[in-house]
Amino acid sequence: MGIVLEVKGLSFRYDKRQDRGNVMDVSFQLREGEWTALIGHNGSGKSTLANLLVGLLQLDEGKIKLNGSVTKKEQSFEHIGIIFQNPENQFIGTTVEDDVAFGLENINMSYEEMRERVDKALLDVDMLDYRMADPSQLSGGQKQRVAIAGMLALEPKVLILDEAFVMLDPRSRKELMATIRKLTNKGMTILSITHDMEEAAHADKVMVMERGRIKTVDSPSQLFFSDSTLEKPFAEKLREALKSRKRKVPDKYMTEEEMVLWICKSN
Ligand SMILES: Nc1ncnc2c1ncn2[C@@H]1O[C@H](COP(=O)(O)OP(=O)(O)OP(=O)(O)O)[C@@H](O)[C@H]1O
Ligand SMILES: [Mg+2]
C-alpha cells in the first residue's frame, strides 16, 4: 500500500519562549487503507499533533506530505478530516443531510454530485434512513456517525478521530469501530487518538506518544506483548494474569477472539 501521509521532523510549541516543545521532532508515515491508533498519557501531545496535521495550528518546523507533495494550509483542511470528542459542537444544518452537505457548499459542485456524495457518506456510516432527521435529536453515537459522514462527503485522504468514541456506550463504540474497519477496507486512511486499549488493539498499527515525541510504532500484537509500561487490552491482561499464576498459556499476544478460541480448546 502506498504512503498517503508522511510527516517529517514536526515540531511545535504553544509558548515560543519555552525551551521544551509540545510536539518534538515527530516523524511517521500513514499508508493507504491503514488504521493507526495514537496513544499516550494526558498532555503527551496527541491533540496538538492532530491539530498540526489538519492545519488548525501552524508548525514551527517540519514537513507534512500528502501523496508525495508538501501540504499548504488550505490543502490540509480539504484532504485531512478530523472528528473531535463532542459532536454537539460540530452541527450546523437543520436536517442530517443538510449537515452532511454543509462542507460541500463551499466547493463548486453540481446539485446531483452533492446529492450523490451525501447519500454515499450516509450509507457508509449506516445513517441513510436518518437523512431527514434533526441532528440535535440524535443519540451520541448517531451524532458521531453524522459528523463522520460530513467529513467523508469531502472525500478526505485521511480521517483523524480525536477521542471520537469517548462519549459512546460500549455497543455504539463497537459499531463505530466496525464502521472504521469498513472504511479502511475501502482504502480510507485512519488515525485514531484514544485512551481505550481495546480500540488500539483493533488498529493495524499503534503509535505511542510520550512528552511530545513518538516513542514507538508497532503492531498491537508486538507492542502490547513487549512494552511492560503500557495499559493492556483485556485479553492480554488475562493472559498475563494466568501466566503469573503458573498456568500454561501461549507465549504470545492474543486478540480477544484468539483468547476465546484458546480457552475453548484447552477445556
Ligand atoms: N491551547 C494551548 N495553549 C498552551 N498549551 C497547550 C494548549 N493546548 C495544549 N497545551 C499543552 O500542550 C501539551 C500537549 O497537550 P495535548 O492537548 O496535545 O495533549 P493530549 O496528548 O491530547 O492529551 P489528552 O490525552 O489529555 O487529550 C500539554 O502540556 C498541554 O498543557
Ligand atoms: Mg487530546
Side-chain angles (χ1 to χ4, degrees):
M1 285 290 187
I3 293 163
V4 176
L5 185 80
E6 186 173 12
V7 170
K8 263 195 186 154
L10 216 65
S11 293
F12 175 83
R13 65 197 75 193
Y14 287 97
D15 182 350
K16 308 300 178 208
R17 293 163 305 183
Q18 289 284 324
D19 289 341
R20 206 185 157 76
N22 302 96
V23 166
M24 286 188 291
D25 197 20
V26 163
S27 302
F28 63 89
Q29 299 172 337
L30 301 182
R31 286 173 188 278
E32 190 182 348
E34 199 173 51
W35 176 357
T36 305
L38 177 59
I39 64 173
H41 293 301
N42 292 135
S44 55
K46 305 177 299 296
S47 297
T48 305
L49 176 58
N51 285 326
L52 288 168
L53 296 179
V54 293
L56 290 171
L57 291 172
Q58 268 187 305
L59 336 170
D60 292 336
E61 273 167 69
K63 272 201 180 87
I64 301 172
K65 276 190 180 175
L66 252 175
N67 287 334
S69 27
V70 176
T71 59
K72 299 198 181 65
K73 205 169 176 236
E74 322 80 64
Q75 275 180 335
S76 51
F77 269 119
E78 255 174 59
H79 297 300
I80 310 181
I82 189 162
I83 308 281
F84 299 102
Q85 199 178 105
N86 189 347
E88 308 286 343
N89 311 332
Q90 299 172 57
F91 288 120
I92 303 126
T94 52
T95 62
V96 163
E97 62 174 20
D98 271 0
D99 207 89
V100 174
F102 180 79
L104 298 176
E105 279 158 12
N106 301 320
I107 306 172
N108 201 1
M109 187 182 282
S110 70
Y111 176 79
E112 287 72 33
E113 195 182 344
M114 205 187 284
R115 189 58 292 146
E116 216 171 277
R117 284 234 208 157
V118 169
D119 286 359
K120 185 172 168 289
L122 284 172
L123 189 65
D124 276 342
V125 297
D126 299 315
M127 285 296 285
L128 198 54
D129 292 346
Y130 291 86
R131 50 143 65 99
M132 296 314 287
D134 175 351
S136 67
Q137 315 226 313
L138 298 175
S139 77
Q142 291 168 332
K143 281 180 184 152
Q144 239 6 350
R145 281 167 196 277
V146 174
I148 293 173
M151 284 294 161
L152 292 179
L154 295 168
E155 300 187 342
K157 305 274 186 285
V158 180
L159 187 60
I160 302 177
L161 305 162
D162 190 352
E163 296 189 52
F165 301 158
V166 163
M167 315 246 289
L168 308 185
D169 65 35
R171 191 172 133 198
S172 312
R173 217 179 262 206
K174 260 204 168 133
E175 284 174 2
L176 266 173
M177 283 202 277
T179 301
I180 294 301
R181 188 41 87 194
K182 202 172 82 184
L183 292 172
T184 56
N185 287 342
K186 287 184 181 178
M188 176 69 69
T189 303
I190 304 275
L191 179 66
S192 70
I193 299 175
T194 186
H195 289 291
D196 178 0
M197 294 307 138
E198 306 305 326
E199 188 187 322
H202 277 82
D204 300 309
K205 244 172 38 185
V206 184
M207 298 201 290
V208 187
M209 218 169 161
E210 201 176 85
R211 294 174 21 103
R213 296 181 190 275
I214 303 280
K215 185 182 143 205
T216 343
V217 186
D218 220 331
S219 64
S221 56
Q222 277 303 318
L223 186 76
F224 291 124
F225 185 71
S226 58
D227 192 334
S228 60
T229 64
L230 287 178
E231 171 74 19
K232 305 288 168 88
F234 171 73
E236 180 59 13
K237 274 191 204 158
L238 180 60
R239 194 188 69 82
E240 288 175 2
L242 290 170
K243 195 177 172 194
S244 73
R245 283 168 181 74
K246 306 276 183 269
R247 295 291 170 139
K248 266 203 169 152
V249 285
D251 202 21
K252 71 172 192 61
Y253 171 89
M254 285 184 280
T255 62
E256 212 171 301
E257 293 76 36
E258 287 166 346
M259 175 62 87
V260 170
L261 282 176
W262 174 75
I263 290 172
C264 291
K265 247 198 273 170
S266 44
N267 274 292

